[in-house]
Amino acid sequence: MKRLVIIGNGMVGQRLIEAVRARDTDHAWSVTVLAEEGRAAYDRVKLSAFFDGSSAEDLNLHTPDAGVDLRLGEPARKVDLQSRTVLTDSSAYPYDALVFATGSYPFVPPVEGKDLPGVFVYRTLDDLVAIREYAQGRTIGAVIGGGLLGLEAANAMRLLGLATHVVEFAPRLMPVQVDEAGGAMLRRYVEDLGVTVHTGTGTTALNAGEDGTVASLSLSNGALVKADMVIVAAGIRPRDDVARAAGLATGARGGILVDSRCETSEADVYAVGECAAVDGVCYGLVAPGYAQAEVVADRLMGGAATFPGADMSTKLKLLGVDVASFGDAHGTTEGCLDVTFTDPATRVYAKLVLSDDASTLLGGVLIGDASAYPTLRAGVGLALSAPPLALLAPAGAEVDPGAGLAALPGSAQVCSCNAVTKDAIVDAIHAQGCADVPALKACTRAGTSCGSCVPMLKQLLTLEGVAQSKALCEHFDHSRQELFDIVRVRGIRSFSALIGELGRGKGCDICKPAVASILASLNTGYVLEGEQASLQDTNDHFLANIQRNGTYSVVPRIPGGEITPEKLIVIGEVARDFNLYTKITGGQRIDMFGARVEQLPLIWKRLVDAGFESGHAYGKSLRTIKSCVGSTWCRYGVQDSVGLAVALELRYRGLRSPHKLKSAVSGCARECAEARSKDFGIIATDNGWNLYVGGNGGFRPRHADLFATDLTTEELVRTIDRFLIFYIRSADRLQRTAAWIESLDGGIEHLRDVIVHDSLGLCAELDAAMAGHVTNYADEWAATLDDPERLSRFVSFVNAPDAPDPSISFTVERGQPVPVPTDSGTRQPVLLGMPATSIGSPA
C-alpha cells in the first residue's frame, strides 16, 4: 500500500481526503494527516457564525474515517525530500506522495504595539474564543482591514456589544471585490449600523494605556482612535515556511510554486489551497482550493486532470448586507463596457461589465440585492440572455423569462465552489432521481459550500418539472401556513419544541423569526419571554426601531391620529428632556428619534404613566389606522371616520402578522385618508362603509380592491376580523396582503367566498381567534417596565450597564438633534431660496 501524507487539515485538506477516499476504491493508498490545530477541519467560510450562536460542532467538517490517520495537534516541522519523510516533534512519517495543504497565516503590519495585550487576529476558532473572552468588560473595538474578513470581524465586535471602528488603507471597503461606487454603497450600509469607517488611511501605531493593554490607534492621517480591543484583519500570506526550508521552489510573493497539475518542483510533492502558487498566483478563496484538491486526487489515482483556473466570484452577507462580485468585476478587459443600476432609496447598486460589442457578460458587482448573482455568475463568458437592464432588475420586478436559468447552456457552472455544471444538475435530477435540494447536494456537492447557488438548484428542479416543496427553510419540511396550523392545533409554545418535533438542526434567520411571529400571533405570552427573546429580530428584541447611528425611535400609539392636548404636552416634554428628534409621520403618529437603548425604559415609563402604549412600529403587526376628520368636523363627511379608526386600531393593536399592516378610514368619497393604498381601507358612504383590501405602498405601490359595499359597522368589523386572521394563518413568510391575495387560487373571489360566504366553514373559528386576541392584548412596554429581569436587557454594554455608547453623537439641523454626518459625506438639506452658506446651519 502506498503512503500519502497530507500536511494540514483545513477546508481544502479535508476536501482532498474526501476526494482521495472516494476515488480509491481499491484501497491503494494509506492516508496520514498532520494537523496543527487540536481540532479537526471546520468551516472557516462560516467562522463568524460562532458569534451568532453556532458551536464548534456546528462548523465541523470532519467525518471519521477508519482509513485516515488524523494526527491532531501534531504539525509538520521538517520535510526531508531525499529520504521522503515528514518530521514532527515526536515522529517521522515516510511518504510516497506528499501534499502541502498548510493554508495561510494572518498578515500583521509591522507597527509599533502590534504585540500588546488586547490585539488579536481573526483566523481560527481558538482566535474567536480568545476574542469573545477578552471582550468582556470592553466598550470600544477597532478592526484593521476593511476587506471580507475585516467586515466579518467588525460584525463580531458589534455582536459582542462594542462600539466598532474599521480602518482600511484603500480608499474604499472591500477594494479587491467591489468598485468605487459599490464601495460607497457598502459604506452607507455599514455606517448605518453604527460602525465608524476610516478609509484611505493606515495604522501607524497601537498605543498602550496605563494598564499596559491596547488603548488606541494612531492613524496616518493624524487621527487618534480610542479602542480597548483591536482585531487585525489586514490580509493573509501563504504558509510556505516548511516547504521553503525543504528546498521547494516558491513564488516571488510567497507560496509554493506548482504547475497546472498542482505538482511542486519536486516529483510526487503537491500543494493545494492558499499555500499553493499556481504559475505564481495564490488564490485566497475556497473554490480554487477545492478544484486543486480534485486535481491532486485524480493524479494520485493515475488520472490526467489539470487545474482549470480559478473562479474568484464571491457572494456574502456582511453585516447583514448582500455583497457579490463575479468575473471581471473591475472592468480590466480592454474595451469593455459598464452598465450600472443605482437606487439610493433602496440602497441597491449593481454593475455589469460587458464586452466591447455589449454582447457578452464579463463580470459584475451587486450590493444590497444579490438575488441575481447565481444566474449572472453562471453566465460569465456567455452571450447575454436579455438586455442588460433586464438582467439587473431588482428582485420582484418583472423580468424577461429568457433572462433566467433556462437560457444558460448546459456547460455553465451552477456551483463554482465545486465546479458543478447545469448539465450535471439536470442529469442528477433525471438519471439519479434527485427530487429536492438536499438530494442534489448529496449527489453533486452543489450548494454544500457557500450556498449561494441553492436558489438555482430550486429553479432547475422547477424547470425540469419536479414539483417543489413549500418548505419554510431547510430546517422544516412544512410551509409557514402548515406550521401555523400545527402550532395552533398541538398547542406548541416554543421554537425548540417545534423543531424538536418537526424539524432538524438549530434553525436559521428564516425560520426563527417566522416561528416567533406565529407564536406571538397565537397569544403565547410576552414576546420576549424566555426562548422567544432569542428568536426576535433586532427591532422586536428591544421593542423599538433601530436607526442608522445605533439609536432607537420611540413611537407611542395615537389611535386614528386623535390626541388630547395633555398627551401632546407629555410627548413634547419627553422629547425635550431626552433631547429627541420629533417628526409627525404619514400615519398620523409622532416619532421620537435618537434614544439610546438604556434610555428606552425611562422614556416608556413617562409615556405609559401618561396613558400611552407601544405603537408597535418595530413589529410585523398593525402599525396605524389613519383617518380624516370625517363627519365630526368636515362639511363633506358622511360618517364618523375618526371614531371608527380609533375603535379599529384599539381592536387590532398588537396583532402579529406575516408582514406589517396599515389601514385608513376616509369619511367620504373624497378619500383624504388615502384608504385605497392600505392593506385594508375603509371609505364611508351614505349607507355605511365600503371595504377595500390588498393595497400597499412601497417599492411596488398597489391600489386596494373593493371587497364589500355599504356595510354596517358591525358587518365591517366582522369582515375585517376574518380577513386579518385568515391572512395571518395562510400567508407566506414576509408576504404582504397584496401578494397574498394574488397568490390565492381564485384570488379575491375565493377570499370573498371564505370570509363572507363561509365556503370553508372557518368563519366561526376566525371570529373566535380575533375575540381571543382582543381579550388577551397586553401592552409590551408596560409589561417590560413591570419586570426587573426584563429591564436588564436594555443596556448598551452588558458589562457596563450604566455606560452610554460613546460612538453616538449628534449635531443640530433646523433646531433638532440629528446623527452626525459620517466622513463619507455630509447631508445636503434642500432649503429653497436660501443662500448656500446657510444650508444646514443650526437654527
Side-chain angles (χ1 to χ4, degrees), residues 307-379:
F307 181 57
D311 183 351
M312 299 300 287
S313 303
T314 55
K315 177 182 178 293
L316 299 159
K317 185 177 283 290
L318 298 168
L319 291 155
V321 183
D322 280 337
V323 180
S325 68
F326 53 95
D328 183 13
H330 292 291
T332 59
T333 303
E334 184 176 357
C336 65
L337 306 173
D338 288 354
V339 177
T340 61
F341 172 90
T342 304
D343 185 353
T346 59
R347 299 195 177 182
V348 169
Y349 169 78
K351 179 181 77 171
L352 294 184
V353 180
L354 311 178
S355 60
D356 55 3
D357 61 356
S359 65
T360 304
L361 178 63
L362 302 179
V365 175
L366 304 171
I367 306 290
D369 177 7
S371 56
Y373 168 78
T375 304
L376 290 174
R377 182 199 51 72

Side-chain angles (χ1 to χ4, degrees), residues 7 76-81 86 98-103 238-251 254-258 264-266 269-272 275-277:
I7 303 176
R77 300 300 187 190
K78 181 179 180 181
V79 172
D80 188 332
L81 299 177
V86 181
L98 172 66
V99 182
F100 282 88
T102 48
R239 191 82 176 271
D240 59 10
D241 51 335
V242 175
R244 187 185 297 270
L248 293 175
T250 54
I256 307 166
L257 279 177
V258 298
T264 69
S265 56
E266 182 77 12
V269 179
Y270 302 86
V272 294
C275 69

Side-chain angles (χ1 to χ4, degrees), residues 70 175 334 521:
L70 177 58
E334 184 176 357
S521 65

